[in-house]
Amino acid sequence: MSEIKSPTTRIETSAAKVYEAVRAAQQAGETVGLVPTMGALHQGHLSLVDASLAECDRTVVSIFVNPTQFAPGEDLENYPRPLDRDLELLMQRGCWLVFAPPVEEVFREGHETSVHVGSVALPWEGESRPDHFGGVATVVLKLFQIVPADRAYFGQKDYQQSLVIRQMVADLNVPVEIRVCPIVRESDGLAMSSRNAYLSPEERRQASGLWQALKLAETLVAEGETSVAAITEKMKPVLQHVEVEYIAVLREGTVCEVETITEAAVVAIAARVGKTRLIDNLKIQSRKK
Ligand code: AMP
């Protein structure tokens, strides 16, 4: 990897110019990492940027609130867009290029093509938000075309999304290496999320129940409990102040539920706290390896 880091951050809204810059860097022998985001950056996003900075010569961050992954009635209009602050953070970090296009640059008039990912996109988040993963997969594939990066960085926070992206990349022969980075949390364990800004102080306290429930599951498994039914029963009282959409215990790397934890599993939760929908998950190692 080259030692030379760009002293300035380039900000681009043009897809063609970004493509040209990325290809030029690669032709000069540099590796390029892409961190796709919707902005309103927090330490979770910045941990992905740091992973890319550590592994790649050049780091591109995209900031694009993708309308096609929001259902009618979701928070597309209200989604936070503190662009100047985001740019400042990325400049401080030493990010090479920020792609922050207007919607029309990504979805030109007459756009009609979309990516449909199969069974991995159907349950859990897919059930609650039926068109969500189609919108995510389509925009991520488009970003991979605009930024033909060597590696792309995603968060474990969106566990099912990372599986959807891996599936798409494998199925459509996209020449990019996918990296999935650990969840960054607040001091009380709440997973960082741009949507945490919606929470009132009371809701913010209630939201920490998600982490407490996940930790409880981990403790129970560490103590030898293997029954998923018993574990989820014990998690419910911890989640009494939030409206649980699902608690799922999945075989790691899949969206398939398990009944007993005999191998590595992911416990995933989706819940509403007031009007805000939160998701979180935790990898759990079975004692029987
Ligand atoms: P978003 O801006 O919400 O679309 O997120 C952009 C990327 O950041 C996705 O790959 C997310 O999984 C990742 N991400 C979001 N929150 C966190 C977090 N708390 N820790 C690690 N990665 C995160």
Side-chain angles (χ1 to χ4, degrees), residues 36-38 42 44-45 48 154-155 157-158 161 182-184 192:
T37 81
M38 297 205 298
H42 50 65
H45 297 113
L48 308 184
F154 295 87
K157 160 86 171 26
D158 296 278
Q161 170 176 284
I183 301 175
V184 178
M192 288 193 182

Side-chain angles (χ1 to χ4, degrees), residues 21 58 93 115 243 277 287:
R58 304 275 173 180
R93 224 74 187 183
V115 178
E243 195 188 316
R277 187 172 185 280
R287 277 175 55 171

Side-chain angles (χ1 to χ4, degrees), residues 184-234:
V184 178
R185 299 179 176 282
E186 303 285 358
S187 55
D188 67 346
L190 178 67
M192 288 193 182
S193 163
S194 307
R195 290 190 167 101
N196 292 349
Y198 299 151
L199 300 170
S200 70
E202 176 62 10
E203 289 169 346
R204 174 65 188 76
R205 274 190 292 280
Q206 293 167 342
S208 66
L210 272 73
W211 173 240
Q212 285 155 19
L214 292 171
K215 286 300 280 181
L216 175 62
E218 183 180 61
T219 304
L220 292 169
V221 172
E223 287 169 359
E225 181 61 82
T226 58
S227 158
V228 166
I231 292 167
T232 49
E233 259 332 286
K234 289 185 178 150

Side-chain angles (χ1 to χ4, degrees), residues 12-34:
E12 276 294 350
T13 54
S14 152
K17 285 192 181 154
V18 169
Y19 179 83
E20 209 179 298
V22 170
R23 292 299 296 135
Q26 289 168 326
Q27 272 151 17
E30 295 184 316
T31 55
V32 175
L34 169 65

Side-chain angles (χ1 to χ4, degrees), residues 37-84:
T37 81
M38 297 205 298
L41 302 180
H42 50 65
Q43 291 302 319
H45 297 113
L46 296 177
S47 73
L48 308 184
V49 174
D50 288 348
S52 174
L53 287 169
E55 289 185 347
C56 305
D57 298 310
R58 304 275 173 180
T59 292
V60 179
V61 176
S62 61
I63 297 180
F64 181 62
V65 183
N66 168 32
T68 70
Q69 69 188 67
F70 289 77
E74 287 187 349
D75 55 343
L76 174 61
E77 280 80 27
N78 297 332
Y79 199 84
R81 291 169 171 83
L83 185 61
D84 289 345

